[in-house]
Amino acid sequence: MFALLGRIAVNHPWKVIALWVLATIAVVGLAPKLTATTDQSAFLPSHYESIQAMDLQQKAFPDDVTPAALIVVERADGTALTAADSDRVTAVAADLSSHNVKGVTGIQATPAAASGSIQVIAVQMAKTTDPSDKTQTDAVKALREELKQQVSGSDLKAGITGTAAQTLDQTESGNKGMAIIGIATVVLILVLMLVIFRSPVIALLPVITIGAISSTVGGLIAIVAHAFDLKVDSSVNSLLTVVLFGVGTDYILFLMFRYRERLRAGEDPKTAMISAVTRVGEAITSAAGAVIIAFLALTLSSLGMFRALGPALAIAVAVAMLAGLTLVPAIVSKLGTKVFWPSKSWQQEPKGALFAALGRGLGRRPGVFAAAAGAILVALGLAAFGFHPTFDMSSASTSDTTESTVYSKELLKGMPAGATQPSLVYLHSDGTLSDAQLGDYRTALAAISGVGQVGTPRVSADKSIAEFQVTLTTEPTSDAALATVRGPLRDGAHAAAPIGSSAYVGGMSSVLVDFKAAMNHDYKIVFPVAAILIALVLALLLRSVVAPWYLMGAVGLGFAATLGAAVLVFQRVQGNSGLIFSLPIIMYMFVIALGTDYNILMVARLREEAEEGNDPRRAAALSLRHTGPTIAAAGLILAGTFASMMLAGNSMLSQMGFAISFGIALSAFVMAMFFTPAITALLGRKAWWPSRVGRVEPVDSGFYDESDWRTTQHSYTR
């Protein structure tokens, strides 16, 4: 099949290129606009209590009066506000209200905090349901500009926080991060490809081809998201850029290294490309298949953010694979050896002293290499037991210097910790709720451990639903707050509900409690399913039931080691309270899926060498000699592209960038390069059972010297 694909691409290049152009035009023309959402509750299924509480809120109070933004005012010198300052704050609120900012329905100054350190102006805004509606964020922009003028030259300073301001800062931070990631990724690919091939033509090849197909990928994702009503998280764009360029460049590298190898073996350019597609096509397809399966396993997630993320990234990998096996061969077939211009190094086999030496060492002492690589993975993996998840996504997805983050912290100086995002308890009765019932229920809520105060209930028009604003004694996204909501508050609210009524606890803390429960469910479902399916791909590729076991075991060790490294860097060294709660499942996707790419490439070469009649140790040594440079180059580029996420300026992308890039580096430079070939050499022919690979008479029953390398480098013919 791959030989046929190679012949079509090489013999009909213009038709293949034209087909890609037409497909891109059609997809982009038909695709709807892709919009992302930052509303975390939009990702939860309807059976969770926090979502049921939200549904009651929308039913009873469609015109929600909860402030969308909070203007925090304090003295510039840090002292307590005076009576004159409070009068000035009231005047500022009145002046802002007079500007009739679009989307703002009310602006009201509240009394100064008991400590006198801050005073808050509450800003109500028209509720939005469309993620693409920028009314609230535009209103925040306008208010910030006007607010600067209001406090300029005075003894006061002020800033805007709250949900609308946080959404604005997250969006701007995300756009800035995307620009940085995109530029860093392209520059990194150009530089590394120039270093590897010493040719500007081949350096531009992945940038141009992947850039050309990116619009096709975006269009297909938009079509799928619209067709299946998938909620796309705002982080998808960042991941999509690095996945598409990183994986796409890897597949191009796999192909070009083999193309260069066939040219050095004496084949003409067209025959060499057909041979390259024939020989590496199965490895690329299997590697892409493993990645796609891992991503699609996320459709089993109970969280909408992952159900959308999985198909989106799977589409990106599938398109990159198709481009690598059709579009790239078609373009290169037209360029021929000019693709390496002006370098002439493609004509001669380099000595490859480093990988030759490593190969000889591994061939002679596979046990030492396996033990050393395993020790590194196990040592780092032990640190994973210290993993602690954090659910504070609002601050994690923006820089610490953004206005909403800075003034959210200032707000805590003068108000109870839980006042920034109070929990909301809804009491729903089949009949009507009496004043006595409401009073008794409020008293019961106030007596619950962890509750600071309970506001006066707000009752619906038909008096069947009441809302109680509950202020916790701890910060809403803290472990203590989540424990209070999950245990005492929900238990107490349910138990105290009058006969004939039911209670539901909502608010951000409740949403995060349900997020945690959904994540625990996903760990039990998504991880095993993805692992089993990837193992099946490996079994089909290798025609073996033995190799997939130790390959998946190695990848599992890599996952634990990667999580352990992230714990050491961010929790131990930087002193963060925890890592973003979704990091393990994101790491699992990329470390298991993308890390398997390199294992597949190495083990496919190991099988090829064994089929040539080489004994297990010789096959391992030759595989490292020939495939080591490819894995090193591909791993460096892919790890580097994900590392660019650390430049985005917020802790969420920094943690994701570090963990994924470190995991890929481990997969390439420890697992695929040393651990996998060493274990395969130790197992010998048993690794390929029940197939007959390696059962033929070996080429040389003894070991070999440097001259053997030179005679075997061009001996692979079929």
Side-chain angles (χ1 to χ4, degrees):
M1 181 182 74
F2 295 105
L4 175 62
L5 199 63
R7 286 195 296 271
I8 292 173
V10 169
N11 295 328
H12 307 282
W14 289 119
K15 292 180 180 179
V16 172
I17 294 171
L19 188 60
W20 272 96
V21 171
L22 291 174
T24 299
I25 294 172
V27 169
V28 173
L30 294 173
K33 183 179 179 181
L34 180 65
T35 56
T37 178
T38 56
D39 182 4
Q40 295 177 30
S41 64
F43 302 123
L44 280 168
S46 59
H47 67 269
Y48 282 101
E49 183 170 342
S50 60
I51 305 303
Q52 293 173 343
M54 190 175 299
D55 291 339
L56 279 178
Q57 180 193 48
Q58 293 174 354
K59 176 183 176 182
F61 313 107
D63 298 325
D64 187 21
V65 296
T66 303
L70 298 172
I71 301 175
V72 182
V73 186
E74 58 187 337
R75 284 188 61 86
D77 57 11
T79 60
L81 293 166
T82 65
D85 291 332
S86 292
D87 291 340
R88 177 61 183 156
V89 171
T90 302
V92 168
D95 187 79
L96 291 175
S97 183
S98 68
H99 282 77
N100 296 318
V101 176
K102 182 181 178 181
V104 175
T105 58
I107 299 179
Q108 181 67 47
T110 63
S115 63
S117 59
I118 65 165
Q119 190 167 353
V120 174
I121 301 175
V123 181
Q124 279 82 34
M125 295 184 183
K127 192 171 183 180
T128 59
T129 57
D130 183 359
S132 62
D133 189 341
K134 297 182 179 180
T135 302
Q136 289 193 351
T137 54
D138 287 344
V140 172
K141 288 181 182 179
L143 289 172
R144 281 178 172 173
E145 288 298 322
E146 185 61 31
L147 185 62
K148 287 179 183 178
Q149 299 179 17
Q150 291 289 330
V151 299
S152 178
S154 70
D155 296 328
L156 303 176
K157 64 177 184 178
I160 304 179
T161 185
T163 55
Q166 288 170 347
T167 298
L168 172 62
D169 289 341
Q170 287 172 19
T171 302
E172 292 183 343
S173 177
N175 292 338
K176 179 182 177 182
M178 274 294 299
I180 293 173
I181 290 170
I183 293 171
T185 298
V186 171
V187 170
L188 180 69
I189 291 173
L190 285 172
V191 171
L192 291 179
M193 293 293 279
L194 276 171
V195 171
I196 294 167
F197 290 100
R198 303 171 192 174
S199 166
V201 179
I202 202 169
L204 288 169
L205 183 64
V207 175
I208 293 173
T209 55
I210 297 170
I213 66 173
S214 61
S215 56
T216 305
V217 172
L220 288 173
I221 292 172
I223 291 171
V224 171
H226 180 74
F228 295 96
D229 192 28
L230 298 176
K231 303 294 184 182
V232 180
D233 179 48
S234 56
S235 65
V236 167
N237 288 332
S238 301
L239 288 173
L240 191 62
T241 299
V242 291
V243 166
L244 190 57
F245 276 92
V247 173
T249 303
D250 268 10
Y251 296 158
I252 292 173
L253 273 173
F254 294 171
L255 182 70
M256 294 308 296
F257 268 99
R258 188 58 74 101
Y259 175 58
R260 188 174 64 179
E261 182 181 319
R262 300 316 304 164
L263 287 172
R264 287 169 176 168
E267 294 181 354
D268 66 86
K270 290 186 179 294
T271 303
M273 179 52 70
I274 295 172
S275 297
V277 174
T278 302
R279 290 174 177 250
V280 84
E282 186 176 21
I284 290 177
T285 303
S286 299
V291 177
I292 291 169
I293 285 172
F295 288 158
L296 288 181
L298 289 177
T299 57
L300 300 174
S301 171
S302 57
L303 292 171
M305 62 187 297
F306 291 123
R307 286 201 305 274
L309 179 64
L313 298 181
I315 289 170
V317 173
V319 174
M321 176 197 70
L322 289 173
L325 294 176
T326 58
L327 181 60
V328 174
I331 294 173
V332 174
S333 71
K334 295 303 297 180
L335 295 173
T337 57
K338 293 177 182 177
V339 74
F340 299 107
W341 181 87
S343 174
K344 302 292 185 181
S345 61
W346 63 270
Q347 296 175 348
Q348 285 125 14
E349 181 77 27
K351 293 181 180 179
L354 175 61
F355 289 98
L358 289 173
R360 288 194 299 272
L362 187 146
R364 291 191 178 100
R365 300 179 182 84
V368 173
F369 278 76
I376 293 172
L377 297 174
V378 171
L380 288 172
L382 292 174
F385 289 103
F387 169 68
H388 183 267
T390 180
F391 292 82
D392 184 7
M393 297 300 290
S394 59
S395 61
S397 56
T398 61
S399 167
D400 290 338
T401 60
T402 58
E403 186 172 318
S404 62
T405 301
V406 170
Y407 279 90
S408 178
K409 294 176 181 178
E410 294 299 311
L411 185 65
L412 295 178
K413 292 180 179 180
M415 299 180 68
T420 55
Q421 291 178 316
S423 293
L424 301 170
V425 178
Y426 293 90
L427 192 61
H428 183 207
S429 174
D430 295 333
T432 58
L433 294 166
S434 66
D435 291 341
Q437 288 176 320
L438 295 176
D440 292 342
Y441 192 69
R442 181 185 181 190
T443 301
L445 290 177
I448 294 174
S449 174
V451 172
Q453 62 185 31
V454 181
T456 302
R458 183 168 56 143
V459 184
S460 63
D462 62 1
K463 295 187 177 182
S464 65
I465 301 174
E467 177 191 79
F468 295 83
Q469 193 172 92
V470 178
T471 303
L472 304 180
T473 58
T474 50
E475 202 274 325
T477 59
S478 66
D479 289 338
L482 301 190
T484 296
V485 171
R486 182 173 58 251
L489 182 55
R490 282 187 173 177
D491 292 342
H494 298 161
I499 296 175
S501 65
S502 53
Y504 302 88
V505 179
M508 180 53 67
S509 299
S510 185
V511 168
L512 295 179
V513 167
D514 290 339
F515 249 85
K516 190 172 184 178
M519 287 294 297
N520 290 334
H521 166 271
D522 289 353
Y523 290 150
K524 298 174 183 177
I525 301 296
V526 176
F527 283 17
V529 169
I532 291 171
L533 293 176
I534 292 174
L536 289 175
V537 170
L538 291 171
L540 291 172
L541 169 68
L542 304 175
R543 289 83 166 174
S544 166
V545 297
V546 176
W549 286 97
Y550 68 82
L551 291 175
M552 291 305 298
V555 174
L557 278 176
F559 168 78
T562 302
L563 184 58
V567 168
L568 290 175
V569 170
F570 293 100
Q571 291 184 209
R572 298 288 185 268
V573 177
Q574 292 190 4
N576 293 345
S577 61
L579 302 172
I580 57 171
F581 71 95
S582 58
L583 188 63
I585 199 165
I586 291 173
M587 275 175 39
Y588 185 86
M589 281 192 304
F590 291 102
V591 175
I592 293 288
L594 298 181
T596 303
D597 270 14
Y598 306 121
N599 262 338
I600 287 176
L601 189 66
M602 175 58 77
V603 83
R605 189 64 184 239
L606 284 164
R607 180 184 175 87
E608 184 178 331
E609 297 293 349
E611 287 175 337
E612 295 289 342
N614 294 295
D615 66 68
R617 295 193 176 199
R618 184 186 184 95
L622 288 171
S623 295
L624 180 54
R625 166 67 181 86
H626 288 289
T627 309
T630 308
I631 291 176
L636 189 62
I637 287 177
L638 190 59
T641 55
F642 277 102
S644 68
M645 296 173 68
M646 299 173 67
L647 303 174
N650 66 69
S651 61
M652 181 175 70
L653 290 179
S654 292
Q655 290 178 22
M656 288 169 58
F658 171 82
I660 297 171
S661 61
F662 187 86
I664 288 170
L666 273 182
S667 298
F669 295 99
V670 178
M671 286 189 292
M673 203 172 291
F674 300 115
F675 193 72
T676 294
I679 294 294
T680 304
L682 289 172
L683 288 174
R685 299 177 181 87
K686 296 176 183 177
W688 311 113
W689 186 85
S691 73
R692 298 186 59 81
V693 173
R695 296 185 186 182
V696 299
E697 188 67 25
V699 169
D700 185 4
S701 58
F703 215 73
Y704 42 86
D705 57 27
E706 183 64 30
S707 62
D708 289 322
W709 291 100
R710 290 189 289 271
T711 58
T712 57
Q713 281 169 8
H714 303 299
S715 66
Y716 306 124
T717 58
R718 293 188 177 181

